[in-house]
């Protein structure tokens, strides 16, 4: 295998032979292929794409670069969910405990923020003491005792993806359907769940801006999963405005707890219930989506989801007391309201713009090795369609200092469009794709 020949072949639009692609990925995982060659390859894939068969080989090679977990001895059916990433997307945090409370086991391996989109792992690390790096044995123990566990990708799970994910984040090679598909499915297949519900985001704050691209990504993901013997389905969901009213790690944990207490924003609750219902059907615990959604609502209303969340946090060594008092998480140094300069209706909240504001405040990474500040972000965010008066807060900035808050004030205000008339209501769930 001569790496530069493989890069050249892809650069010129050719298909890479299976043996070469496998050797290329294996060499990268083993540290024998430098980042600059993988970055060049990723850029070639970004421009030239990959045939479906090549994407399957890339996925399989990345999955086999580490351990492949097996849960066949667990008493409960295993099911997971994965989102392609969005702004304010904290869905996994209330969802995993709710689905576990309904009888499934949810072995969830999550990622860090990528580009301007947040990562579940970064959010969970806002919880004092929460250990995201469990051994395989400890992961199993939490699953057996609590029913759900959310951890980070260990060095042994799809290590080729772990390295490539970080490299793509800083080389402009994230929004590529074959690379996203191989990244998501290699991790999810290695994680070993029997079934997987996918939340494929579409819109200004998503990697896939256009509906056709999101549909193609969803079809690719479902086809890869099905080809590898798993039950997989996908929801296509809108990501034009942030999900919920908070963006930023600790703020999103607080909002997730509010969801589990029945006080969450309507859009987050809608998506949690829809994805949870889908997962219960995939896990064989409910016959159809409507029934699954009813069960999830009941676990929400009964408080069993909240109780399962607290047990998961405690099992990970985290401070479960924050369920009663989210104020126990670190707070930002300064808060500043962003106010409306005119009266009207919120025509839209630019998810991409809010994502950039939070990144600038220190809540996301410019380079993969950057540390993030878990406390910064925005909350009390208005939603499209709401009426605002001049001078009314559109959101509150949580920053390290007042100076830093003032530095992003104009960008934050520009992210909220205000018009005379209310926009037509836009659906959150755009479609379903059955595996
Ligand atoms: N989520 C992933 O796991 N990988 C990607 O490439 C994008 C979103």
């Amino acid at each position: 295998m001569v790496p530069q020949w493989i890069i050249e072949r892809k650069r010129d639009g050719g298909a890479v032979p299976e043996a070469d692609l496998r050797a290329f990925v294996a060499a990268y995982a083993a540290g024998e292929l430098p980042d600059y060659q993988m970055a060049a390859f990723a850029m070639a894939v970004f421009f030239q794409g990959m045939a479906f068969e090549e994407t399957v080989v890339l996925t399989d090679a990345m999955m086999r670069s580490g351990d492949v977990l097996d849960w066949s001895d667990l008493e409960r059916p295993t099911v997971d969910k994965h989102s392609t990433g969005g702004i304010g997307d904290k869905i996994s945090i209330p969802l995993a405990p709710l689905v576990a409370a309904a009888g499934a086991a949810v072995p969830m391996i999550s990622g860090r923020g990528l580009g301007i989109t947040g990562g579940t792992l970064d959010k969970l690390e806002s919880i004092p003491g929460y250990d995201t790096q469990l051994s395989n044995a400890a992961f199993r123990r939490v699953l057996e005792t609590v029913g759900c566990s959310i951890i980070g990708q260990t060095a042994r799970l799809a290590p080729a993806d772990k390295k490539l994910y970080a490299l793509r984040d800083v080389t402009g090679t994230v929004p590529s359907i074959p690379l996203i598909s191989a990244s998501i499915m290699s991790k999810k297949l290695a994680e070993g769940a029997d079934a997987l519900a996918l939340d494929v985001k579409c819109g200004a704050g998503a990697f896939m801006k256009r509906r056709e691209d999101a549909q193609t990504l969803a079809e690719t993901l479902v086809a890869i999963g099905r080809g590898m013997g798993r039950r997989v389905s996908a929801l296509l969901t809108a990501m034009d405005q942030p999900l919920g009213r908070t963006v930023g790690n600790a703020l999103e944990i607080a909002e997730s707890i509010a969801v589990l207490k029945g006080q969450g924003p309507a859009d987050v609750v809608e998506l949690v219930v829809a994805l949870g219902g889908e997962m219960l059907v995939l896990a064989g615990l409910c016959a159809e989506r409507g029934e699954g959604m009813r069960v999830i609502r009941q676990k929400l209303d009964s408080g069993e989801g909240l109780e399962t969340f607290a047990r998961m946090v405690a099992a990970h060594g985290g401070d479960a007391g924050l369920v009663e008092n989210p104020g126990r998480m670190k707070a930002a140094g300064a808060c500043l309201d962003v106010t409306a300069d005119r009266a009207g209706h919120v025509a839209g909240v630019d998810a991409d713009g809010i994502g950039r504001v939070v990144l600038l405040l220190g809540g996301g990474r410019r380079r993969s090795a950057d540390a993030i500040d878990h406390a910064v972000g925005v909350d009390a965010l208005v939603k499209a369609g709401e009426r605002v008066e001049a001078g009314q807060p559109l959101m509150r900035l949580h920053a390290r200092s007042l100076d830093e808050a003032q530095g992003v004030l104009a960008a934050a205000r520009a992210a909220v469009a205000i018009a005379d008339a209310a926009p037509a209501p836009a659906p959150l769930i755009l479609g379903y794709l059955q595996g």
Side-chain angles (χ1 to χ4, degrees):
M1 189 264 305
V2 180
Q4 54 270 42
W5 293 352
I6 293 177
I7 298 165
E8 285 164 14
R9 190 169 182 131
K10 187 40 69 193
R11 180 199 64 198
D12 297 338
V16 180
E18 174 166 350
D20 284 349
L21 191 49
R22 287 189 184 278
F24 193 80
V25 172
Y28 184 59
E32 290 155 9
L33 185 107
D35 273 352
Y36 56 81
Q37 285 189 309
M38 186 49 103
F41 179 75
M43 190 57 87
V45 172
F46 176 86
F47 282 113
Q48 296 292 357
M50 273 187 156
F52 177 70
E53 295 69 28
E54 266 184 300
T55 309
V56 172
V57 171
L58 179 64
T59 308
D60 192 65
M62 283 173 28
M63 175 185 90
R64 289 179 199 283
S65 66
D67 294 348
V68 178
L69 305 181
D70 177 9
W71 304 108
S72 50
D73 58 332
L74 277 191
E75 278 170 18
R76 300 166 173 225
T78 50
V79 60
D80 188 15
K81 164 262 169 184
H82 190 81
S83 150
T84 56
I87 315 296
D89 185 355
K90 70 268 305 164
I91 298 294
S92 294
I93 296 158
L95 178 65
L98 284 163
V99 174
V106 186
M108 194 177 267
I109 296 178
S110 292
R112 300 200 177 278
L114 190 61
I116 53 164
T117 65
T120 300
L121 215 56
D122 292 327
K123 294 172 211 221
L124 286 169
E125 286 177 353
S126 317
I127 300 175
Y130 189 102
D131 184 1
T132 56
Q133 301 299 313
L134 301 187
S135 64
N136 287 351
F139 188 35
R140 176 175 292 271
R141 237 181 352 263
V142 179
L143 259 191
E144 281 168 351
T145 52
V146 180
C148 60
S149 175
I150 309 180
I151 63 167
Q153 206 170 342
T154 61
R156 294 171 52 169
L157 210 112
D161 172 62
K162 191 175 165 93
K163 282 180 79 178
L164 181 54
Y165 191 98
L167 186 67
R168 286 167 53 222
D169 190 22
V170 292
T171 55
T173 50
V174 170
S176 148
I177 289 177
L179 295 180
I180 294 178
S181 304
S183 166
I184 292 175
M185 295 309 283
S186 63
K187 284 194 280 280
K188 291 289 141 179
L189 295 169
E191 173 193 281
D194 303 323
L196 177 64
L198 293 157
D199 180 4
V200 178
K201 302 278 183 209
C202 168
F207 297 130
M208 298 296 120
K209 311 281 179 216
R210 300 181 319 154
R211 174 76 186 257
E212 311 86 270
D213 294 335
Q215 177 82 25
T216 307
L217 176 59
E219 285 167 4
T220 309
L221 293 166
V222 170
I224 293 174
R226 202 173 22 202
M228 295 199 180
R230 311 294 168 95
R231 291 187 300 281
V232 184
S233 63
L235 270 70
L236 232 61
T237 68
M239 180 33 70
D240 293 304
Q241 61 174 338
L243 266 173
R245 294 186 186 272
T246 62
V247 183
N249 297 294
L251 297 169
E252 291 189 51
I253 292 288
E255 188 168 63
S256 303
I257 293 170
V259 169
L260 288 168
K261 288 181 172 171
Q263 298 152 6
D267 56 347
V268 177
V269 175
E270 180 184 349
L271 204 44
V272 165
V273 170
L275 281 161
E278 193 67 24
M279 288 167 78
L280 294 184
V281 174
L282 287 168
L285 292 168
C286 290
E288 45 86 31
R289 195 179 299 139
E291 182 193 337
M293 288 167 67
R294 276 193 297 281
V295 172
I296 295 292
R297 276 194 191 283
Q298 190 254 323
K299 299 295 166 193
L300 202 51
D301 295 343
S302 67
E304 287 168 86
L306 182 68
E307 190 233 337
T308 306
F309 172 74
R311 288 200 293 122
M312 177 181 79
V313 169
H316 279 255
D319 175 6
L322 61 79
V323 166
E324 289 315 318
N325 180 10
R328 290 159 79 130
M329 285 181 290
K330 181 179 163 245
C335 286
L336 182 66
D337 281 341
V338 180
T339 53
D341 49 17
R342 54 162 292 193
H345 286 91
V346 177
V349 183
D350 174 17
D352 189 73
I354 298 291
R356 284 169 200 275
V357 163
V358 175
L359 190 139
L360 290 172
L361 288 171
R365 295 180 181 80
R366 293 165 208 244
R367 282 168 311 184
S368 51
D370 283 355
I372 56 167
D373 189 323
H374 292 95
V376 301
V378 307
D379 71 352
L381 191 57
V382 289
K383 306 290 290 180
E386 287 175 358
R387 168 92 200 155
V388 291
E389 303 305 327
Q392 181 185 324
L394 301 172
M395 73 192 84
R396 183 168 48 221
L397 299 171
H398 294 245
R400 286 181 285 225
S401 68
L402 208 51
D403 270 2
E404 289 194 19
Q406 259 144 1
V408 300
L409 192 59
R413 186 172 284 125
V416 181
I418 301 176
D420 293 334
L428 178 60
I429 298 174
L430 307 172
Y432 285 88
L433 223 105
Q434 234 54 56

mmCIF file of all heavy atoms in Angstrom, residues 82-85 109-112 114 117 153 161 165 168 173-176 179-185 187-188 207 217, ligand 1:
data_model
loop_
_atom_site.group_PDB
_atom_site.id
_atom_site.type_symbol
_atom_site.label_atom_id
_atom_site.label_comp_id
_atom_site.label_asym_id
_atom_site.label_seq_id
_atom_site.Cartn_x
_atom_site.Cartn_y
_atom_site.Cartn_z
ATOM 1 N N HIS A 82 -28.510 8.072 17.661
ATOM 2 C CA HIS A 82 -27.399 8.963 17.310
ATOM 3 C C HIS A 82 -27.927 10.136 16.496
ATOM 4 O O HIS A 82 -28.769 9.963 15.632
ATOM 5 C CB HIS A 82 -26.345 8.211 16.496
ATOM 6 C CG HIS A 82 -25.096 9.017 16.314
ATOM 7 N ND1 HIS A 82 -24.123 9.095 17.290
ATOM 8 C CD2 HIS A 82 -24.675 9.808 15.302
ATOM 9 C CE1 HIS A 82 -23.156 9.884 16.879
ATOM 10 N NE2 HIS A 82 -23.464 10.335 15.673
ATOM 11 N N SER A 83 -27.410 11.306 16.809
ATOM 12 C CA SER A 83 -27.792 12.490 16.041
ATOM 13 C C SER A 83 -26.595 12.932 15.213
ATOM 14 O O SER A 83 -25.445 12.788 15.647
ATOM 15 C CB SER A 83 -28.193 13.596 17.019
ATOM 16 O OG SER A 83 -27.915 14.857 16.470
ATOM 17 N N THR A 84 -26.872 13.459 14.031
ATOM 18 C CA THR A 84 -25.758 13.923 13.196
ATOM 19 C C THR A 84 -25.211 15.252 13.722
ATOM 20 O O THR A 84 -24.241 15.766 13.198
ATOM 21 C CB THR A 84 -26.175 14.061 11.713
ATOM 22 O OG1 THR A 84 -27.301 14.944 11.645
ATOM 23 C CG2 THR A 84 -26.538 12.713 11.127
ATOM 24 N N GLY A 85 -25.828 15.803 14.726
ATOM 25 C CA GLY A 85 -25.241 16.972 15.390
ATOM 26 C C GLY A 85 -25.967 18.257 15.067
ATOM 27 O O GLY A 85 -26.269 18.552 13.915
ATOM 28 N N ILE A 109 -22.491 5.605 23.237
ATOM 29 C CA ILE A 109 -21.122 6.142 23.175
ATOM 30 C C ILE A 109 -21.186 7.442 22.389
ATOM 31 O O ILE A 109 -21.575 7.451 21.226
ATOM 32 C CB ILE A 109 -20.171 5.114 22.546
ATOM 33 C CG1 ILE A 109 -20.128 3.896 23.474
ATOM 34 C CG2 ILE A 109 -18.777 5.710 22.367
ATOM 35 C CD1 ILE A 109 -19.292 2.764 23.027
ATOM 36 N N SER A 110 -20.861 8.534 23.065
ATOM 37 C CA SER A 110 -21.085 9.852 22.461
ATOM 38 C C SER A 110 -19.783 10.558 22.169
ATOM 39 O O SER A 110 -18.737 10.200 22.704
ATOM 40 C CB SER A 110 -21.908 10.714 23.413
ATOM 41 O OG SER A 110 -23.180 10.183 23.512
ATOM 42 N N GLY A 111 -19.913 11.607 21.360
ATOM 43 C CA GLY A 111 -18.722 12.341 20.948
ATOM 44 C C GLY A 111 -18.667 13.724 21.577
ATOM 45 O O GLY A 111 -19.565 14.155 22.297
ATOM 46 N N ARG A 112 -17.568 14.388 21.277
ATOM 47 C CA ARG A 112 -17.396 15.779 21.711
ATOM 48 C C ARG A 112 -17.949 16.691 20.620
ATOM 49 O O ARG A 112 -18.282 16.231 19.535
ATOM 50 C CB ARG A 112 -15.910 16.070 21.921
ATOM 51 C CG ARG A 112 -15.320 15.182 22.961
ATOM 52 C CD ARG A 112 -14.038 15.730 23.539
ATOM 53 N NE ARG A 112 -13.596 14.813 24.582
ATOM 54 C CZ ARG A 112 -14.059 14.805 25.819
ATOM 55 N NH1 ARG A 112 -14.945 15.698 26.202
ATOM 56 N NH2 ARG A 112 -13.642 13.920 26.704
ATOM 57 N N LEU A 114 -18.222 19.072 17.577
ATOM 58 C CA LEU A 114 -17.512 19.050 16.301
ATOM 59 C C LEU A 114 -17.913 20.330 15.576
ATOM 60 O O LEU A 114 -19.103 20.576 15.398
ATOM 61 C CB LEU A 114 -17.950 17.800 15.528
ATOM 62 C CG LEU A 114 -17.208 17.404 14.267
ATOM 63 C CD1 LEU A 114 -15.748 17.108 14.549
ATOM 64 C CD2 LEU A 114 -17.848 16.177 13.627
ATOM 65 N N THR A 117 -21.144 22.525 16.420
ATOM 66 C CA THR A 117 -22.160 21.732 17.103
ATOM 67 C C THR A 117 -21.602 21.191 18.405
ATOM 68 O O THR A 117 -20.444 20.803 18.478
ATOM 69 C CB THR A 117 -22.631 20.551 16.235
ATOM 70 O OG1 THR A 117 -21.527 19.673 16.052
ATOM 71 C CG2 THR A 117 -23.150 21.012 14.900
ATOM 72 N N GLN A 153 -15.963 7.784 23.603
ATOM 73 C CA GLN A 153 -15.312 6.750 22.822
ATOM 74 C C GLN A 153 -13.990 6.414 23.511
ATOM 75 O O GLN A 153 -13.168 7.309 23.710
ATOM 76 C CB GLN A 153 -15.030 7.362 21.455
ATOM 77 C CG GLN A 153 -14.938 6.422 20.338
ATOM 78 C CD GLN A 153 -14.895 7.213 19.041
ATOM 79 O OE1 GLN A 153 -15.249 8.394 18.983
ATOM 80 N NE2 GLN A 153 -14.446 6.583 17.997
ATOM 81 N N ASP A 161 -11.807 6.127 13.886
ATOM 82 C CA ASP A 161 -12.770 7.235 13.827
ATOM 83 C C ASP A 161 -12.404 8.320 14.835
ATOM 84 O O ASP A 161 -12.535 9.511 14.548
ATOM 85 C CB ASP A 161 -14.192 6.742 14.089
ATOM 86 C CG ASP A 161 -15.141 7.926 14.223
ATOM 87 O OD1 ASP A 161 -15.269 8.666 13.231
ATOM 88 O OD2 ASP A 161 -15.691 8.149 15.309
ATOM 89 N N TYR A 165 -12.106 11.864 13.314
ATOM 90 C CA TYR A 165 -13.143 12.820 13.721
ATOM 91 C C TYR A 165 -12.462 14.130 14.149
ATOM 92 O O TYR A 165 -12.837 15.226 13.728
ATOM 93 C CB TYR A 165 -13.886 12.174 14.884
ATOM 94 C CG TYR A 165 -15.169 12.810 15.362
ATOM 95 C CD1 TYR A 165 -16.395 12.333 14.937
ATOM 96 C CD2 TYR A 165 -15.171 13.842 16.289
ATOM 97 C CE1 TYR A 165 -17.582 12.868 15.429
ATOM 98 C CE2 TYR A 165 -16.356 14.377 16.773
ATOM 99 C CZ TYR A 165 -17.545 13.882 16.337
ATOM 100 O OH TYR A 165 -18.719 14.419 16.823
ATOM 101 N N ARG A 168 -10.855 15.842 11.082
ATOM 102 C CA ARG A 168 -11.828 16.478 10.179
ATOM 103 C C ARG A 168 -12.324 17.789 10.751
ATOM 104 O O ARG A 168 -12.580 18.750 10.023
ATOM 105 C CB ARG A 168 -13.020 15.534 9.939
ATOM 106 C CG ARG A 168 -12.667 14.381 9.018
ATOM 107 C CD ARG A 168 -13.744 13.303 9.037
ATOM 108 N NE ARG A 168 -15.063 13.834 8.774
ATOM 109 C CZ ARG A 168 -16.164 13.469 9.437
ATOM 110 N NH1 ARG A 168 -16.110 12.586 10.407
ATOM 111 N NH2 ARG A 168 -17.321 13.996 9.120
ATOM 112 N N THR A 173 -13.295 19.217 6.739
ATOM 113 C CA THR A 173 -13.769 18.025 6.021
ATOM 114 C C THR A 173 -14.918 17.324 6.754
ATOM 115 O O THR A 173 -15.108 16.127 6.602
ATOM 116 C CB THR A 173 -12.603 17.039 5.791
ATOM 117 O OG1 THR A 173 -11.926 16.823 7.035
ATOM 118 C CG2 THR A 173 -11.608 17.568 4.788
ATOM 119 N N VAL A 174 -15.667 18.106 7.526
ATOM 120 C CA VAL A 174 -16.785 17.495 8.259
ATOM 121 C C VAL A 174 -17.969 17.174 7.332
ATOM 122 O O VAL A 174 -18.434 16.037 7.300
ATOM 123 C CB VAL A 174 -17.217 18.382 9.451
ATOM 124 C CG1 VAL A 174 -18.512 17.876 10.051
ATOM 125 C CG2 VAL A 174 -16.126 18.408 10.513
ATOM 126 N N PRO A 175 -18.496 18.144 6.555
ATOM 127 C CA PRO A 175 -19.783 17.876 5.893
ATOM 128 C C PRO A 175 -19.670 17.021 4.625
ATOM 129 O O PRO A 175 -19.961 17.457 3.518
ATOM 130 C CB PRO A 175 -20.327 19.269 5.560
ATOM 131 C CG PRO A 175 -19.211 20.222 5.807
ATOM 132 C CD PRO A 175 -18.005 19.493 6.267
ATOM 133 N N SER A 176 -19.245 15.801 4.790
ATOM 134 C CA SER A 176 -19.122 14.879 3.663
ATOM 135 C C SER A 176 -19.954 13.647 3.999
ATOM 136 O O SER A 176 -19.756 13.027 5.053
ATOM 137 C CB SER A 176 -17.642 14.504 3.498
ATOM 138 O OG SER A 176 -17.506 13.194 3.012
ATOM 139 N N LEU A 179 -17.969 10.413 4.768
ATOM 140 C CA LEU A 179 -17.175 10.506 5.998
ATOM 141 C C LEU A 179 -18.065 10.542 7.230
ATOM 142 O O LEU A 179 -17.764 9.913 8.247
ATOM 143 C CB LEU A 179 -16.252 11.730 5.957
ATOM 144 C CG LEU A 179 -15.149 11.687 4.880
ATOM 145 C CD1 LEU A 179 -14.300 12.957 4.928
ATOM 146 C CD2 LEU A 179 -14.255 10.458 5.049
ATOM 147 N N ILE A 180 -19.163 11.273 7.172
ATOM 148 C CA ILE A 180 -20.080 11.309 8.320
ATOM 149 C C ILE A 180 -20.675 9.909 8.531
ATOM 150 O O ILE A 180 -20.744 9.399 9.650
ATOM 151 C CB ILE A 180 -21.205 12.346 8.115
ATOM 152 C CG1 ILE A 180 -20.645 13.771 8.084
ATOM 153 C CG2 ILE A 180 -22.253 12.233 9.219
ATOM 154 C CD1 ILE A 180 -21.680 14.862 7.843
ATOM 155 N N SER A 181 -21.085 9.268 7.421
ATOM 156 C CA SER A 181 -21.720 7.944 7.541
ATOM 157 C C SER A 181 -20.765 6.943 8.164
ATOM 158 O O SER A 181 -21.126 6.203 9.090
ATOM 159 C CB SER A 181 -22.145 7.417 6.164
ATOM 160 O OG SER A 181 -22.983 8.338 5.538
ATOM 161 N N ALA A 182 -19.528 6.901 7.655
ATOM 162 C CA ALA A 182 -18.560 5.925 8.173
ATOM 163 C C ALA A 182 -18.235 6.240 9.631
ATOM 164 O O ALA A 182 -18.084 5.339 10.457
ATOM 165 C CB ALA A 182 -17.300 5.930 7.318
ATOM 166 N N SER A 183 -18.151 7.524 9.961
ATOM 167 C CA SER A 183 -17.828 7.927 11.321
ATOM 168 C C SER A 183 -18.923 7.466 12.287
ATOM 169 O O SER A 183 -18.670 6.800 13.289
ATOM 170 C CB SER A 183 -17.686 9.455 11.360
ATOM 171 O OG SER A 183 -17.684 9.923 12.671
ATOM 172 N N ILE A 184 -20.156 7.817 11.961
ATOM 173 C CA ILE A 184 -21.263 7.470 12.857
ATOM 174 C C ILE A 184 -21.425 5.960 12.953
ATOM 175 O O ILE A 184 -21.484 5.381 14.039
ATOM 176 C CB ILE A 184 -22.579 8.118 12.360
ATOM 177 C CG1 ILE A 184 -22.504 9.641 12.504
ATOM 178 C CG2 ILE A 184 -23.782 7.551 13.107
ATOM 179 C CD1 ILE A 184 -23.700 10.388 11.942
ATOM 180 N N MET A 185 -21.492 5.307 11.800
ATOM 181 C CA MET A 185 -21.846 3.884 11.831
ATOM 182 C C MET A 185 -20.705 3.020 12.362
ATOM 183 O O MET A 185 -20.953 1.995 12.983
ATOM 184 C CB MET A 185 -22.321 3.422 10.450
ATOM 185 C CG MET A 185 -23.614 4.078 10.007
ATOM 186 S SD MET A 185 -24.975 4.007 11.225
ATOM 187 C CE MET A 185 -25.533 2.321 11.056
ATOM 188 N N LYS A 187 -18.680 3.733 14.832
ATOM 189 C CA LYS A 187 -18.800 3.791 16.293
ATOM 190 C C LYS A 187 -20.020 3.025 16.776
ATOM 191 O O LYS A 187 -19.972 2.297 17.734
ATOM 192 C CB LYS A 187 -19.037 5.239 16.758
ATOM 193 C CG LYS A 187 -17.880 6.135 16.760
ATOM 194 C CD LYS A 187 -18.194 7.388 17.552
ATOM 195 C CE LYS A 187 -18.994 8.402 16.776
ATOM 196 N NZ LYS A 187 -18.248 9.215 15.851
ATOM 197 N N LYS A 188 -21.135 3.287 16.089
ATOM 198 C CA LYS A 188 -22.399 2.723 16.564
ATOM 199 C C LYS A 188 -22.408 1.202 16.385
ATOM 200 O O LYS A 188 -22.961 0.489 17.204
ATOM 201 C CB LYS A 188 -23.568 3.372 15.824
ATOM 202 C CG LYS A 188 -23.733 4.825 16.205
ATOM 203 C CD LYS A 188 -24.249 4.986 17.624
ATOM 204 C CE LYS A 188 -23.629 6.111 18.360
ATOM 205 N NZ LYS A 188 -24.141 6.292 19.731
ATOM 206 N N PHE A 207 -24.844 19.959 9.655
ATOM 207 C CA PHE A 207 -23.834 19.744 8.611
ATOM 208 C C PHE A 207 -24.526 19.685 7.248
ATOM 209 O O PHE A 207 -23.978 20.105 6.243
ATOM 210 C CB PHE A 207 -23.073 18.443 8.864
ATOM 211 C CG PHE A 207 -22.300 18.460 10.156
ATOM 212 C CD1 PHE A 207 -22.402 17.433 11.063
ATOM 213 C CD2 PHE A 207 -21.479 19.540 10.471
ATOM 214 C CE1 PHE A 207 -21.704 17.459 12.269
ATOM 215 C CE2 PHE A 207 -20.778 19.576 11.668
ATOM 216 C CZ PHE A 207 -20.886 18.532 12.565
ATOM 217 N N LEU A 217 -28.049 11.332 3.293
ATOM 218 C CA LEU A 217 -27.278 10.868 4.460
ATOM 219 C C LEU A 217 -28.098 9.836 5.246
ATOM 220 O O LEU A 217 -27.582 8.767 5.609
ATOM 221 C CB LEU A 217 -26.913 12.059 5.358
ATOM 222 C CG LEU A 217 -26.198 11.718 6.673
ATOM 223 C CD1 LEU A 217 -24.887 10.978 6.412
ATOM 224 C CD2 LEU A 217 -25.916 12.988 7.485
HETATM 225 N N1 LIG B 1 -21.263 12.688 14.223
HETATM 226 C C1 LIG B 1 -20.277 11.752 14.116
HETATM 227 O O1 LIG B 1 -20.168 10.842 14.931
HETATM 228 N N2 LIG B 1 -19.442 11.858 13.096
HETATM 229 C C2 LIG B 1 -19.530 12.813 12.167
HETATM 230 O O2 LIG B 1 -18.757 12.807 11.258
HETATM 231 C C3 LIG B 1 -20.557 13.783 12.287
HETATM 232 C C4 LIG B 1 -21.421 13.689 13.332
#
